[in-house]
Amino acid sequence: MSQSAMKKQALSRFLILAAVLALAAFSNNPYVINLLVVCGLYALPAIGLSLLMGYTGQISLGQSAFVGVGAYGSVLLAQHLQLDPWYSLALATALSAFTAWSLGWLVFRLKGHHLAMATLAIALILHTVLVEWRSVTGGPDGISAIDPISIAGYALLDDLHFLPLAWLVCYAGLCLADYLVRSPFGLAMRTVSENEAVARSLGIDAAQVKRKVMALSGAYAGLGGALYAHWIGYISPEPFSVAFSIKLLLIVALGGVSGVWNVLFGVFIVVIVSEWLKPLGRLDVVIYGLLLIVVMIYCRQGAVAALAGLYRKLPQRLRPGARAGLKLQGRTSA
Amino acid sequence: MTEFAQYLISGLVVGCIYGLIATGFTAVYNATHIVNFAQGESSMLAALCAASLVLAGAPLLLAIAVAVVVVGLVNILVERLAIRRSGTDVTRGIIITIGVGIVLQGLAALVWGTDAQPLPAFSGPGSISAYGVVVPRQALWVLGTTAVVMALLYLFLTRSFLGKAFRACAMNGQAAALMGIPTGLMRSIGFLLSGTVGAVAGVIIAPIALMQYDSGVALGIKGFVACIIGGFGNPIGAALGGLLLGATETLAAGYISSGFKNAIAYVLLLLFLLVRPGGLLGEFGAAKR
């Protein structure tokens, strides 16, 4: 895609996103607005995981740990050093990226199952530390009375006021990730994912690529966690457990790897589905697990690709814009 | 010294359980090259099943036998419905087994609720004391049952025809298939073995450690750590790793801090993965590479 086309695409996506958010904001439905903030905050760590798992092929069950590092890091820095939340946010993001980068030196000596278990162990160790190190983290009760983020002396206490910030950050994150996967570095990432031996033979330092992506993914997760902490005003170890890592895994699996923006699809599905399932009580977990299995068995390229495939199989008269699709097919086959 | 012996004994008892679960991991891994992240759920399911049956008035022995068989069958079903379709992709296999674990755990919470389900001790609640060390009677059952199960498994794998076919499949699935060994059946047998061994572990520890719907997760991870310590896919290593992990964990909990007890297993896991990923005894069938 040419650069001007890319810019046009980014702009149109920005406008669509802004229109959707504005519509939600004007509807003045607190429930919808709250859900949209949650979506924006979920999307950040999910983008990071998509870069690491989708594009670089390195499974991680430890993404929740970096979200936790970001959240607790920002809150502790703000409270102990009397920092403005903006500075603590930036510091916590850097801290999370650095933690991820250092752990990358350790865990990327491993592959496949071993990598999955090592990252799982990291997530479990962090969770244990958050629960047990009471003097610093407040133990299972967590930390409350967290300062909100403020812009020009105006505190973003409301969901409605926080919404633009969350999604602006999310949009910037998406654009950065999109740019990255199209760049030469993105090609290196995909090569590492496809075949490490080939990557090395092309002069790509596979281990370094993985570490860099891990650091970036940690930064996304940390930023998401820090924003979450200052938005909700209270943190405890519970949201940063392995269950959250698995949720992120499902988001990335649903979105697939055909584009960074598909992560948003996964986020919306997961957040909305978990809302729908809430009245079902305990049954929600079961349906959740089944969804994970079915997606993994039947939609190997992600649910977006699967839906697109289904769409192509529809009889022509049911498909708006089918002619354009036909033209496109004709061109690719020629 | 008495204190040390007490910790060591409790550690070995827990270690037996970890070792059994680790053996379950190796059975699945050898047959399918998948690490079953839902391994711990077998133990949980069996313990809860047995507890319900006893509550309904079934004799203890029958309840245990039925629970073990049921869990074995559930495992075969899981392999057929979900895992066989996952193909050879490692990431996909991991996510699918995680999904299976979530489903089983959710179903258990639906059926049994979130309260722990007690199972009576096999021969009364009392304990035996010698030289100042107190051992619950159930602990002896744990040690004895583990020894018997391990011995039977060893005999099965080395002496029986089916066991030899299973090992051949583990070493080289394609070559085994060419020799006429039905590899699909061997996959089922792997899952059956892992399910029954895990179920036995869950049933014998249930009277000591209360079991509830989410107990399987921790057991599964500890079992995996035992595998890594001993050498992945190596059944003897798995048993050894379990004992070592159990002893380390209880000693550390006793002398350092009980709160960080769980983290000790995870730190050990990281240490072994990084320093000696082959484990103490080396990976099973590593020679083939």
Side-chain angles (χ1 to χ4, degrees), chain A residues 67-316:
Chain A
V67 182
V69 168
Y72 273 85
S74 180
V75 169
L76 291 174
L77 282 170
Q79 289 194 341
H80 289 282
L81 302 180
Q82 314 291 335
L83 284 180
D84 186 85
W86 283 107
Y87 294 117
S88 70
L89 208 72
L91 279 177
T93 307
L95 175 73
S96 185
F98 178 72
T99 316
W101 183 76
S102 335
L103 286 171
W105 280 96
L106 295 179
V107 297
F108 287 135
R109 298 170 64 183
L110 309 165
K111 282 193 191 101
H113 298 119
H114 293 89
L115 180 63
M117 272 294 177
T119 50
L120 180 66
I122 289 172
L124 290 166
I125 289 172
L126 183 98
H127 193 255
T128 314
V129 169
L130 290 183
V131 173
E132 296 295 334
W133 200 11
R134 282 161 210 267
S135 56
V136 174
T137 64
D141 298 333
I143 306 172
S144 52
I146 298 167
D147 289 336
I149 296 174
S150 52
I151 294 176
Y154 188 80
L156 300 177
L157 277 171
D158 223 348
D159 287 355
L160 187 59
H161 298 141
F162 197 82
L163 185 71
L165 175 68
W167 277 95
L168 214 60
V169 173
C170 186
Y171 176 75
L174 280 167
C175 285
L176 176 68
D178 201 33
Y179 178 75
L180 187 74
V181 297
R182 290 171 199 270
S183 72
F185 187 76
L187 292 179
M189 281 161 60
R190 285 178 193 232
T191 316
V192 169
S193 164
E194 287 293 324
N195 191 328
E196 243 175 81
V198 170
R200 276 201 301 275
S201 76
L202 292 172
I204 297 168
D205 185 346
Q208 201 185 37
V209 169
K210 291 185 205 167
R211 280 195 300 273
K212 280 182 181 164
V213 178
M214 177 96 166
L216 186 63
S217 148
Y220 273 104
L223 183 58
L227 280 172
Y228 167 80
H230 290 285
W231 167 59
I232 202 131
Y234 159 80
I235 49 172
S236 64
E238 189 49 39
F240 311 112
S241 65
V242 175
F244 186 53
S245 283
I246 292 171
K247 229 175 206 182
L248 292 172
L249 216 60
L250 180 57
I251 290 174
V252 174
L254 277 170
V257 291
S258 44
V260 175
W261 281 80
N262 291 348
V263 167
L264 283 189
F265 173 81
V267 169
F268 282 122
I269 296 285
V270 165
V271 171
I272 292 169
V273 164
S274 27
E275 282 303 307
W276 278 345
L277 294 179
K278 258 183 194 164
L280 294 176
R282 296 193 191 296
L283 199 60
D284 71 337
V285 187
V286 179
I287 296 177
Y288 219 84
L290 285 176
L291 193 65
L292 201 60
I293 298 172
V294 168
V295 168
M296 270 297 129
I297 293 178
Y298 294 105
C299 319
R300 302 194 167 183
Q301 302 303 316
V304 177
L307 286 177
L310 274 182
Y311 180 74
R312 250 175 263 131
K313 277 185 198 154
L314 277 180
Q316 273 199 23

Side-chain angles (χ1 to χ4, degrees), chain B residues 24 28 39 42-43 46 68 71-72 75 190-200:
Chain B
V28 166
Q39 181 65 45
S42 300
S43 309
V68 170
V71 170
N75 245 14
F191 269 82
L192 177 69
L193 277 182
S194 101
T196 40
V197 173
V200 168

Side-chain angles (χ1 to χ4, degrees), chain A residues 59 106 109-110 112-114 116-118 121 124-125 132 246 282-283 285-286 289-290 292-293 296-298 300, chain B residues 33 35 37 82 85 92 94-96 98 100 102-103 106-107 109-110 114 221 224 228 259-260 266 269 273-274:
Chain A
I59 190 168
L106 295 179
R109 298 170 64 183
L110 309 165
H113 298 119
H114 293 89
M117 272 294 177
L124 290 166
I125 289 172
E132 296 295 334
I246 292 171
R282 296 193 191 296
L283 199 60
V285 187
V286 179
L290 285 176
L292 201 60
I293 298 172
M296 270 297 129
I297 293 178
Y298 294 105
R300 302 194 167 183
Chain B
H33 287 271
V35 172
F37 278 64
R85 291 161 191 248
R92 198 177 300 132
I94 292 172
I95 299 178
I96 288 180
I98 289 177
V100 168
I102 294 175
V103 170
L107 287 176
L110 277 176
T114 49
I221 295 170
F224 182 85
I228 292 291
F260 282 99
Y266 311 141
L269 169 65
L273 279 175
L274 299 169

